[in-house]
Amino acid sequence: MIKLIASDMDGTLLNDKMAVSDRNIQAIKDAQKNGIEFIIATGRSLDEAKPFLKNRVHPGYITLNGAEVYDENEKLISSNPISEKSKTEVINYLKEHKIYFEVVTNKGIFSDNKDLRVSSLAELLVKLNPSTTYEQALQDTLARVKLTPMNFVDSYDKILNDPSYKVMKLLAFSGKDTEVLVPLRKDIEKNIDDVVVTSSSPNNVEINSIDAQKGIALLQFAKDKNISQEETMAIGDNLNDESMIRDAGVGVAMKNAIPAIAKLAQIQTDNNVNDGVAQIVEKVIAKAKNQNK
């Protein structure tokens, strides 16, 4: 019986309006009411993820792809920053190849180019929701940037040279996936052995410590709750969900998942527009009730 469900956000729990639907919220509430733990597993930071739920539910959080994990009371229970050596090597590579990137630290998220931040997020929204035009995505992004906990700086030098700032994740963007991001991923994976490179969209690459993975975080969270691997379920759609889809007792791919995730998962649910998360959670609850009769 499933006792812990982990769900990705972008392309999974969030619909094409970048919102958590009422049905998905109710499904989370029903899961918790029936003794099933629910945890958000996202590449976003806690401050980025929380506003989507609007305090309607209070799950645990695996954030920044597993770099930070919080319990249901938002207490930090684990932290896995990128090593100083690898941080320097990755950043030097990104600068050398003139790739726009953002620095996610233990003290917030930093960008050195507001225009590229906006255009990159707009492109991300279009990639995740093909029915959305770029113009619509740009307007949505401009509105959301005002609410996003982002720090704009002229240079990253100050935070990168301050030892009190720990780099939890590096996020690189480019509209040229094949020409830029594929070689970037291959080079980093080949030359730096203590980081993991994933992606949440065709226009980005996410670099974390090798210990910061959703799958690792999910199983540790389950262990702390005395829940076995077989009693866990993970729901996702993209490459940064790969480890938890693989490691969970039951891996679930969204209908809109990329082929690699669809192939890896044991089962599939509907897409993010049609409340695929709620649909699979409702099935888990119904099965649990039948087993308890």
Side-chain angles (χ1 to χ4, degrees):
M1 186 171 74
I2 299 299
K3 295 182 179 179
L4 170 60
I5 300 173
S7 173
D8 172 50
M9 290 199 86
D10 293 272
T12 303
L13 191 64
L14 299 180
N15 59 23
D16 56 335
K17 305 299 181 184
M18 295 299 280
V20 183
S21 70
D22 290 341
R23 185 179 178 185
N24 278 342
I25 289 291
Q26 190 60 52
I28 296 172
K29 289 181 178 178
D30 291 343
Q32 293 173 329
K33 184 179 178 181
N34 284 276
I36 301 170
E37 296 276 350
F38 194 95
I39 188 167
I40 302 290
T42 177
R44 295 174 180 271
S45 69
L46 181 65
D47 287 341
E48 284 183 293
K50 277 175 54 182
F52 290 105
L53 300 180
K54 299 177 180 177
N55 281 322
R56 292 178 291 174
V57 288
H58 299 278
Y61 289 90
I62 294 169
T63 65
L64 306 176
N65 295 329
E68 293 184 335
V69 181
Y70 298 83
D71 66 15
E72 58 275 13
N73 297 313
E74 298 175 16
K75 177 185 176 183
L76 181 66
I77 55 178
S78 74
S79 176
N80 293 289
I82 300 173
S83 69
E84 290 298 308
K85 179 175 180 291
S86 295
K87 174 193 78 175
T88 301
E89 290 178 359
V90 172
I91 288 175
N92 286 343
Y93 181 98
L94 295 172
K95 287 181 175 179
E96 179 185 343
H97 290 81
K98 295 180 171 59
I99 300 171
Y100 169 67
F101 67 97
E102 296 169 1
V103 181
V104 185
T105 77
N106 58 324
K107 297 183 180 183
I109 309 169
F110 294 83
S111 168
D112 65 353
N113 192 314
K114 190 171 185 177
D115 289 340
L116 287 177
R117 165 69 172 173
V118 170
S119 62
S120 297
L121 289 183
E123 290 171 8
L124 171 63
L125 188 56
V126 172
K127 295 287 187 181
L128 291 172
N129 305 286
S131 62
T132 301
T133 66
Y134 181 79
E135 288 72 22
Q136 290 173 321
L138 186 59
Q139 290 303 313
D140 288 345
T141 300
L142 287 170
R144 290 184 181 279
V145 162
K146 297 177 183 178
L147 304 174
T148 302
M150 170 67 71
N151 302 287
F152 291 100
V153 294
D154 293 330
S155 169
Y156 293 133
D157 291 346
K158 184 177 180 180
I159 62 171
L160 294 177
N161 293 324
D162 185 339
S164 69
Y165 284 83
K166 303 299 180 184
V167 176
M168 311 308 293
K169 184 176 79 167
L170 292 165
L171 182 60
F173 290 93
S174 175
K176 300 178 179 179
D177 177 35
T178 305
E179 298 173 46
V180 176
L181 297 184
V182 171
L184 164 65
R185 179 171 183 162
K186 288 181 178 178
D187 284 351
I188 292 176
E189 288 178 334
K190 178 181 178 181
N191 297 309
I192 307 176
D193 59 8
D194 67 342
V195 298
V196 60
V197 187
T198 60
S199 172
S200 58
S201 168
N203 79 326
N204 73 25
V205 160
E206 304 182 6
I207 301 104
N208 286 91
S209 162
I210 194 73
D211 297 318
Q213 298 185 54
K214 290 184 180 183
I216 294 173
L218 172 60
L219 294 188
Q220 185 58 55
F221 188 88
K223 184 179 179 181
D224 292 343
K225 297 282 186 178
N226 293 317
I227 296 172
S228 70
Q229 181 178 6
E230 292 73 23
E231 295 170 322
T232 63
M233 171 180 281
I235 312 165
D237 73 309
N238 220 311
L239 288 176
N240 65 339
D241 304 315
E242 181 178 358
S243 63
M244 71 172 183
I245 296 290
R246 180 188 65 238
D247 295 346
V250 179
V252 181
M254 301 296 290
K255 192 174 182 179
N256 52 286
I258 63 170
I261 296 299
K263 183 178 180 180
L264 182 64
Q266 291 103 312
I267 57 178
Q268 184 183 86
T269 188
D270 210 332
N271 61 38
N272 62 318
V273 177
N274 294 326
D275 302 325
V277 171
Q279 290 188 41
I280 191 65
V281 171
E282 289 162 2
K283 290 177 181 178
V284 169
I285 294 170
K287 186 174 181 180
K289 286 182 176 179
N290 286 332
Q291 290 178 335
N292 291 328
K293 283 183 179 179

